[in-house]
Amino acid sequence: MRIMLLLLIVSFSFAINLQKPMIYKGDEDLKGWVVSEKLDGIRAYWDGKELKTRKGKKIFAPKWFLKNFPKFELDGELWSKRSDFENIQSIVMDKTPSAKWETLTYNIFEVPHQKGDFYIRLKKAKDWFEKYPNRNIQIIKQIKIKNKTHLNNYLEEIISKKGEGVIIKNPHTKYISGRNSNILKVKKFKDMEGEVIKINISKKTDILKSLTIKLQDGTIFNLGTGFSKEERISPPKIGSVVTFKYYGLTKNGKPKFASFLHIRKD
C-alpha cells in the first residue's frame, strides 16, 4: 500500500512557481521599463534537464529540438505563429513527438533564479546560445518604452497583426517568483452578448460552475469565469442575455478567455 501511494505521489505533476504577470491598469510609472509581444503559445519551463508545462507536466520534445540546451533554467514560449494556439497545443502535448516540432521555436523571455537584473539574466541565455547554437531558439526582443503613447501604439500594432497583447517589465529588478507588480500583462478585450441556455451547477459545492451560452450565430460555449460569489449562488436565469468580455476567437469561432461582465436588463 505504501509503495502504491509513493508511486502516485511521484507520478503526480505539480504546478511550478514561475514568474507571473499582473494586469496593467494604466496609471503605473513605466520609466525605464521594456515591452515585448505576448506570444499565444504554450509556456515551457526548462529545468536544466527537460521541458515542462507551467503545471509541471513533462513536455516530450524531440532530442534534436533540445540540442545544446544549458544546465541552468530557462522560461519561454513554444510558438509557431500568431493565431495558431490550437495547433501549437496539439503538437506540444503529444507524448509521441512528431515532425511538426520543426514548425516550433522556443522563445525565451526569462532566465529564472539567476543573479542580477533582467538584462543580466537574459544576457546569460544570449551568450550561451551564441557559443552553443540551436536554430530552434529565439530570444524575445525587448523594446524600451518611451512613454505611454509609445506603449499604446505598439499594442495596437500587435493587435492589428492578430497578436494577443504585450508584456511590460521593470528590467532593473532581481528575479521574483509568483505574481508581482514589476511585470504586467497588457491586452485589449472586446465584449459580446449571448443567451443563457443552461446553468451548470457544481456537484461538490452546489453553486454555479458555468453557464452554457448561445451566441447570435448559433455558437455554443461554456462561460465559467468573472462571476462574484453572489452571482455563483444566485446565477443568471435561463433565457437571460449576458454580456461578457473576450480576447479574440478560436478557429472554431468560440470566444477566447471569456469572462462574465453583467446581465443585460434593457
Side-chain angles (χ1 to χ4, degrees):
M1 184 67 179
R2 289 182 179 179
I3 294 176
M4 290 180 65
L5 181 60
L6 180 61
L7 288 173
L8 285 171
I9 293 173
V10 171
S11 63
F12 189 81
S13 59
F14 295 91
I16 302 169
N17 187 26
L18 298 173
Q19 198 173 68
K20 300 179 182 69
M22 296 179 71
I23 302 297
Y24 174 65
K25 296 179 180 178
D27 57 356
E28 294 87 350
D29 181 3
L30 305 181
K31 185 177 180 180
W33 284 45
V34 293
V35 60
S36 62
E37 180 176 355
K38 185 182 187 303
L39 301 181
D40 186 20
I42 298 294
R43 187 171 185 177
Y45 161 70
W46 172 254
D47 66 1
K49 295 181 180 179
E50 60 184 11
L51 280 176
K52 295 179 179 179
T53 68
R54 59 189 176 83
K55 292 185 178 180
K57 294 182 179 180
K58 180 178 178 179
I59 295 174
F60 295 87
K63 289 184 179 179
W64 55 261
F65 189 90
L66 302 176
K67 179 184 177 181
N68 289 338
F69 271 45
K71 291 185 178 180
F72 56 84
E73 298 167 85
L74 299 170
D75 196 1
E77 200 89 0
L78 290 166
W79 190 73
S80 58
K81 59 184 180 180
R82 299 183 182 102
S83 302
D84 197 34
F85 177 78
E86 286 84 0
N87 178 51
I88 298 168
Q89 181 172 246
S90 67
I91 296 171
V92 173
M93 302 313 294
D94 192 343
K95 291 185 178 181
T96 303
S98 69
K100 292 181 179 180
W101 274 86
E102 288 277 5
T103 64
L104 302 183
T105 54
Y106 184 49
N107 299 266
I108 298 169
F109 53 70
E110 184 56 271
V111 184
H113 305 114
Q114 294 295 319
K115 294 181 180 180
D117 64 17
F118 179 52
Y119 292 124
I120 293 173
R121 298 195 303 272
L122 210 56
K123 187 176 185 300
K124 185 177 180 69
K126 290 179 181 178
D127 290 347
W128 176 270
F129 286 109
E130 284 180 2
K131 187 175 182 180
Y132 306 102
N134 181 319
R135 61 187 176 86
N136 308 298
I137 293 295
Q138 299 286 339
I139 307 293
I140 294 181
K141 184 180 180 180
Q142 304 293 328
I143 302 170
K144 289 185 178 180
I145 300 173
K146 298 176 183 178
N147 49 48
K148 291 186 179 180
T149 299
H150 176 219
L151 171 62
N152 291 333
N153 289 341
Y154 183 68
L155 174 62
E156 291 292 345
E157 178 186 345
I158 295 300
I159 297 297
S160 70
K161 294 177 180 178
K162 297 184 178 180
E164 183 182 0
V166 301
I167 292 290
I168 58 177
K169 193 167 189 174
N170 181 354
H172 305 296
T173 60
K174 64 180 182 180
Y175 182 84
I176 302 174
S177 298
R179 296 196 186 279
N180 71 87
S181 58
N182 287 302
I183 174 170
L184 305 173
K185 178 167 53 178
V186 189
K187 287 186 175 183
K188 292 189 73 173
F189 67 82
K190 299 179 180 179
D191 59 23
M192 187 185 291
E193 296 173 3
E195 180 185 355
V196 178
I197 61 173
K198 185 180 178 182
I199 300 171
N200 305 300
I201 302 297
S202 170
K203 293 181 181 179
K204 292 183 179 180
T205 61
D206 202 35
I207 61 174
L208 177 67
K209 181 179 180 182
S210 66
L211 297 175
T212 300
I213 304 296
K214 184 177 182 179
L215 305 180
Q216 287 186 347
D217 64 1
T219 300
I220 294 174
F221 76 104
N222 285 337
L223 177 64
T225 62
F227 301 101
S228 65
K229 291 181 180 179
E230 292 75 17
E231 288 161 347
R232 290 198 180 276
I233 295 172
S234 181
K237 297 179 181 179
I238 292 177
S240 299
V241 175
V242 300
T243 302
F244 58 91
K245 63 181 180 180
Y246 66 103
Y247 299 90
L249 301 174
T250 67
K251 64 179 181 181
N252 296 320
K254 296 185 179 182
K256 293 173 64 176
F257 311 114
S259 180
F260 175 81
L261 290 175
H262 53 75
I263 302 173
R264 283 295 301 265
K265 296 182 179 181
D266 55 349

